[in-house]
Amino acid sequence: MQLPRDVLVGSDMLGKVSDVCSDLQLGRNALIVTGQKTRDIAGIKVAEELEETGINVQIHVSGSASMEEVENVMEIAREMDTDFLLGVGSGKSIDVAKLAATRHNVPFLSIPTAASHDGIVSSRASITHNGETTSIQASAPMAVIADTEVIAKAPFRLLAAGCGDIISNCTAVLDWQLAHRLQNVAFSEYAAALASMTANILIESADSIKPDLESSVRIVVKALVSSGVAMSIAGSSRPASGSEHMFSHALNRIAPNPALHGEQCGIGTILMMYLHGGDWKEIRDALRIIGAPTTAHELGIEDKYILQALVESHKIRPERYTILGTGITPDAAEVVARTTGVIS
Ligand SMILES: NC(=O)C1=CN([C@@H]2O[C@H](COP(=O)(O)OP(=O)(O)OC[C@H]3O[C@@H](n4cnc5c(N)ncnc54)[C@H](OP(=O)(O)O)[C@@H]3O)[C@@H](O)[C@H]2O)C=CC1
Ligand SMILES: O=C(CO)COP(=O)(O)O
Ligand SMILES: [Zn+2]
């Protein structure tokens, strides 16, 4: 099991980055991977903090989470003989830094500027190659530094998406239990219990998730860390990724303008909970209270793409058995999407 050694969550945590690097004895050459917006929000501040303690820093602004970008970053890391990498920003910057550090065999620090999904903590990187996005095994971050002040200023949509990613543990665990019963797949009671408990605590705290509040950010970041730990215990993303994630991955392939990962997973959870015969209204209501999308219209995706994604979701990861089994018919897809109000 790989777990982060240090997890810092709180106000003004960007100011602690040098202390963390010195405690972990990470070395003198650092490469920061950041995004176009997040460079100014946190990337430069992190660079200045490190430079003050004599660390040599290079900043790379990354546009996409592609294999080409990972190779670019590895090339820079080789040229500057970097001792460690830092992913400062959103999911894409963190994934590029995570995989480049793993392949270059150096430690990696995750410094999210938004709490939009559990990839900020996990040992997996979602990378696009030849038009396909795959989730690749990577090293877990050596440390996670989540500055709640910075994250609270991010667009609220990103925090609400993070809640959707956490709530999706509900159907991921049901799918995992089903696969265990029907196909005897390896199952971890500890990982499943942690993932379910994390989602349930968040559902119960739905009315505490509000814009511009550091206390809300703290709840969401802790839940994302907890989901990440569940995946580490399981040795796979099973406790946090089931049929609802397959639906989101299918939408990414099908929809011309996909929404955020956590937003799509949240809606996927409503749909898949209906198929499981569970309390899908509880999921929908929690997402509504939080302010996350619960309909195709709110997601900004046309109904026809929702239906196509539902019918094609089972093809995404055929080896991962879920409630979708060998697939649902277009008629059945229409019933589930209409009954749950996802399409109207
Ligand atoms: N590794 C894993 O296990 C997982 C990985 N993923 C992957 O992560 C990616 C999605 O990540 P997600 O974070 O949802 O979206 P993006 O990485 O697409 O980021 C969304 C946008 O938010 C901006 N942003 C981030 N923080 C702030 C802030 N504080 N203020 C203003 N803008 C901000 C980003 O700016 P900027 O342009 O600077 O980046 C970016 O434009 C996908 O590639 C997905 O496949 C998803 C789930 C799990
Ligand atoms: O997003 C994830 C968990 O929330 C990771 O899942 P995947 O393995 O489907 O990429
Ligand atoms: Zn996810």
Side-chain angles (χ1 to χ4, degrees):
M1 271 178 227
Q2 267 198 356
L3 296 162
R5 211 174 106 176
D6 287 348
V7 178
L8 281 73
V9 185
S11 273
D12 199 21
M13 282 298 151
L14 292 187
K16 299 269 185 239
V17 64
S18 302
D19 294 348
V20 172
C21 294
S22 135
D23 284 352
L24 296 171
Q25 301 183 328
L26 293 181
R28 312 305 305 162
N29 286 330
L31 173 56
I32 294 177
V33 179
T34 189
Q36 263 151 17
K37 293 180 208 148
T38 46
R39 173 183 178 272
D40 294 339
I41 291 166
I44 290 172
K45 160 106 171 131
V46 169
E48 286 170 356
E49 287 289 331
L50 294 174
E51 277 164 350
E52 262 177 37
T53 57
I55 292 178
N56 167 41
V57 185
Q58 266 203 45
I59 295 185
H60 174 76
V61 176
S62 172
S64 67
S66 64
M67 196 49 90
E68 206 181 9
E69 263 303 297
V70 172
E71 279 158 13
N72 282 343
V73 170
M74 284 169 66
E75 182 61 33
I76 302 168
R78 266 192 296 275
E79 273 169 16
M80 70 177 286
D81 194 19
T82 196
D83 297 308
F84 61 104
L85 271 92
L86 304 97
V88 183
S90 63
K92 287 184 182 156
S93 303
I94 289 175
D95 279 349
V96 168
K98 194 190 284 181
L99 192 59
T102 307
R103 302 244 161 124
H104 193 61
N105 207 17
V106 291
F108 151 73
L109 266 58
S110 168
I111 309 186
T113 53
S116 47
H117 57 72
D118 53 26
I120 63 172
V121 193
S122 75
S123 54
R124 300 198 75 83
S126 291
I127 301 293
T128 307
H129 188 44
N130 295 333
E132 291 283 300
T133 303
T134 34
S135 167
I136 302 170
Q137 186 63 36
S139 302
M142 183 75 94
V144 181
I145 302 175
D147 189 317
T148 48
E149 209 178 321
V150 170
I151 299 174
K153 286 187 194 139
F156 181 68
R157 187 184 164 197
L158 292 164
L159 192 73
C163 295
D165 202 29
I166 296 157
I167 289 173
S168 77
N169 294 2
C170 293
T171 43
V173 169
L174 288 177
D175 283 325
W176 196 14
Q177 283 165 336
L178 189 70
H180 176 58
R181 286 198 296 270
L182 293 184
Q183 304 205 327
N184 201 29
V185 305
F187 182 77
S188 159
E189 294 284 354
Y190 289 104
L194 181 59
S196 299
M197 182 189 73
T198 304
N200 290 332
I201 292 176
L202 192 81
I203 289 170
E204 280 159 25
S205 321
D207 54 7
S208 307
I209 310 299
K210 303 250 187 283
D212 307 319
L213 274 189
E214 283 191 59
S215 57
S216 302
V217 171
R218 196 180 277 270
I219 293 171
V220 178
V221 170
K222 282 187 183 171
L224 293 172
V225 171
S226 187
S227 282
V229 170
M231 289 191 274
S232 291
I233 294 172
S236 82
S237 61
R238 261 290 192 183
S241 171
S243 48
E244 72 304 314
H245 269 65
M246 282 152 62
F247 167 76
S248 169
H249 297 320
L251 270 180
N252 287 342
R253 284 188 191 175
I254 292 164
N257 290 306
L260 291 172
H261 170 85
E263 294 177 327
Q264 297 184 164
C265 291
I267 292 205
T269 310
I270 300 174
L271 297 165
M272 301 308 157
M273 190 56 96
Y274 173 88
L275 292 177
H276 272 286
D279 190 353
W280 59 270
K281 289 182 183 162
E282 184 192 36
I283 305 290
R284 179 201 58 190
D285 293 349
L287 290 170
R288 257 190 203 154
I289 293 168
I290 289 164
T294 58
T295 65
H297 180 71
E298 288 167 0
L299 209 52
I301 293 181
E302 283 180 59
D303 292 358
K304 65 178 179 185
Y305 298 122
I306 299 285
L307 294 174
Q308 194 184 339
L310 262 170
V311 171
E312 294 186 13
S313 295
H314 69 288
K315 296 183 198 155
I316 292 292
R317 212 177 217 163
E319 74 287 359
R320 185 166 284 194
Y321 191 84
T322 69
I323 192 69
L324 292 166
T326 52
I328 68 171
T329 63
D331 286 0
E334 183 129 13
V335 171
V336 52
R338 283 202 193 284
T339 312
T340 52
V342 170
I343 67 167
S344 48

